[in-house]
Amino acid sequence: MAKVLVIGASRGIGKAVAKRLAEDGHSVRAFSRSGHTPNTRDTAIEAFRGDALSAEDIKRALQGVETVIQALGVKADFKMITGPVTLFSEATRALLPAMGESGVKRLIAVTGFGAGDSDQAISPLQRLPFCAALGRAYDDKSIQETLITRSALDWMIVRPGVLTDGPPTGTYRVLTEPATWRNGVISRADVADFIADQVDTEPLGGRKPVLIRWPFPL
C-alpha cells in the first residue's frame, strides 16, 4: 500500500479521497490549512497543518510520500468571480520543485472541465455563463495544468464536471479522448473513487480524463 499526501484534504474532493484511500488501506497524510483530519470510525489519517503556498511546509509534508494528490479549491463567492484567482498556479509552483527535490515523482491533480485544452469542448450555450462565473478560476487552473504538463513528473490531471455532494455511484463516465469531452454532473464521491483507483496505477501516464455521470445537453 502507498503513502499518499492529499493537499486540500479538509473538504470537498480532497476530504473524500483521503477517506476513501484510508478505507482501502493506504497510509494517508491529510494536508490542509486547518489541520483537520477526515478520520472515519475504522481508519486513521495523519493530519498535517500547512500552507499549500509554503515550499517549506510542502517539503516537510513530502517526507516518505510516494504519490501526491493536489485537490485545492477556492470558495465559490463574488470574489472568485471578480478575481484575481492565483491559488492553483502559485500552489503548483511551490509543489513541483519540492517534489523534485524530495524525489517524489507521482502527481494526481484535480482541475475541472474547461481547464486547459478541455476549454475547446465547452459548448456555445455554456461558454458565456461558464466564463462569467468561473473564468478567472479556470484561467488559473489552465496555468496550473501547463506547469504540470511541462514537468518531468509522472502525472495525471483529473477534470470533473459540475460537482455535487451525492453518494458514490460507480456509474460515472471517464472521457479520455478530446472528441468525447463534454460537461456534465458528477458527485465528489465518484471523483474520489476514480482518483483512489489511480493510486496503484503504474504509470499515471500523462492522462487528462474528464469525469461526468450525467452529461449536459449540447
Side-chain angles (χ1 to χ4, degrees), residues 2-6 27-29 46 58 60-69 99 102-106:
K3 176 76 172 184
V4 184
L5 172 65
V6 181
S27 177
V28 181
R29 181 172 293 152
E46 177 190 353
I58 293 169
R60 290 189 297 109
L62 285 168
Q63 294 178 14
V65 165
E66 299 165 56
T67 299
V68 176
I69 297 171
M99 289 182 67
S102 302
V104 182
K105 301 183 182 300
R106 291 166 53 83

Side-chain angles (χ1 to χ4, degrees), residues 7 9 23 29-30 40 47 50 76 86 89 93 97 108 115-116 156 172 175 193 197 207:
I7 300 176
E23 289 164 1
R29 181 172 293 152
T40 64
T86 61
S89 60
R93 287 190 174 99
I108 301 171
M156 177 185 292
Y172 54 87
L175 310 178
D193 177 76
D197 286 345
R207 292 176 286 154

Side-chain angles (χ1 to χ4, degrees), residues 172-177 180-181 194 198 207 209-212:
Y172 54 87
R173 298 164 62 182
V174 182
L175 310 178
T176 58
E177 297 299 323
T180 67
W181 288 344
F194 174 79
Q198 308 312 304
R207 292 176 286 154
V210 170
L211 304 184
I212 60 171

Side-chain angles (χ1 to χ4, degrees), residues 100-125:
E101 293 174 19
S102 302
V104 182
K105 301 183 182 300
R106 291 166 53 83
L107 172 62
I108 301 171
V110 182
T111 59
F113 174 83
D117 56 357
S118 67
D119 169 80
Q120 66 193 13
I122 301 174
S123 73
L125 288 176

